[in-house]
């Protein structure tokens, strides 16, 4: 934020198990990261937050308004869940290697594509 404020809300995102994904579905990860970055950047502007930097697949975002920060985080989760990732490979990798102990119906109710 450009104006001094009483406080700053700092948000970090990170794709869960991205190293595993690069090892297992690496040929698809560049495209998936492009989708991920586009979706998150669209929401950062919509919620009047500011992208400070990215490192790998992680974003650092700030806002002077904590409510806007929480709304951004919720919107990111909802948009990533509803996104068309163009592949089932990410979910197949998570199901095989991440021990969520979820049955298929529970999994599909909670997850779709990249997890942040």
């Amino acid at each position: 934020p450009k104006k001094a404020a009483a406080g700053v809300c700092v948000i970090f995102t990170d794709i869960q198990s991205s190293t595993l994904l690069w090892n297992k579905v690496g040929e698809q990860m560049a495209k998936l990261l492009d989708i991920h970055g586009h979706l998150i950047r669209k929401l950062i502007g919509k919620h009047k937050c500011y992208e400070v930097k990215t490192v790998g697949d992680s974003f650092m975002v700030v806002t002077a308004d904590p409510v806007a920060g929480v709304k951004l985080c919720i919107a990111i989760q909802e948009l990533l869940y509803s996104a068309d990732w163009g592949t089932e490979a990410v979910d197949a990798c998570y199901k095989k290697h991440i021990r969520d102990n979820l049955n298929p119906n529970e999994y599909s109710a909670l997850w779709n594509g990249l997890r942040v």
Side-chain angles (χ1 to χ4, degrees):
K2 295 181 181 180
K3 293 182 180 180
V8 175
C9 177
V10 181
I11 301 157
F12 293 95
T13 70
D14 187 55
I15 295 175
Q16 181 182 359
S17 302
S18 61
T19 302
L20 171 71
L21 293 171
W22 275 106
N23 287 327
K24 300 297 182 182
V25 294
E27 67 283 350
Q28 298 176 50
M29 281 299 287
K31 179 182 176 191
L32 296 170
L33 283 178
D34 286 345
I35 294 168
H36 163 265
H38 171 76
L39 295 174
I40 290 179
R41 285 187 175 99
K42 182 169 99 172
L43 291 173
I44 289 170
K46 179 180 177 183
H47 289 275
K48 296 184 172 64
C49 297
Y50 303 91
E51 178 182 336
V52 176
K53 65 180 178 177
T54 59
V55 177
D57 59 71
S58 300
F59 279 80
M60 179 182 180
V61 179
V62 298
T63 180
D65 179 4
V67 173
V70 171
K71 287 181 179 180
L72 171 64
C73 292
I74 292 168
I76 288 171
Q77 291 298 323
E78 291 174 343
L79 189 57
L80 294 180
Y81 178 80
S82 66
D84 178 4
W85 295 100
T87 181
E88 298 287 326
V90 171
D91 287 314
C93 186
Y94 281 138
K95 287 175 186 176
K96 182 174 180 181
H97 298 285
I98 306 297
R99 301 290 180 229
D100 287 328
N101 296 320
L102 300 172
N103 71 48
N105 291 334
E106 291 171 322
Y107 183 94
S108 62
L110 296 172
W111 303 111
N112 174 48
L114 295 177
R115 297 182 184 183
V116 176

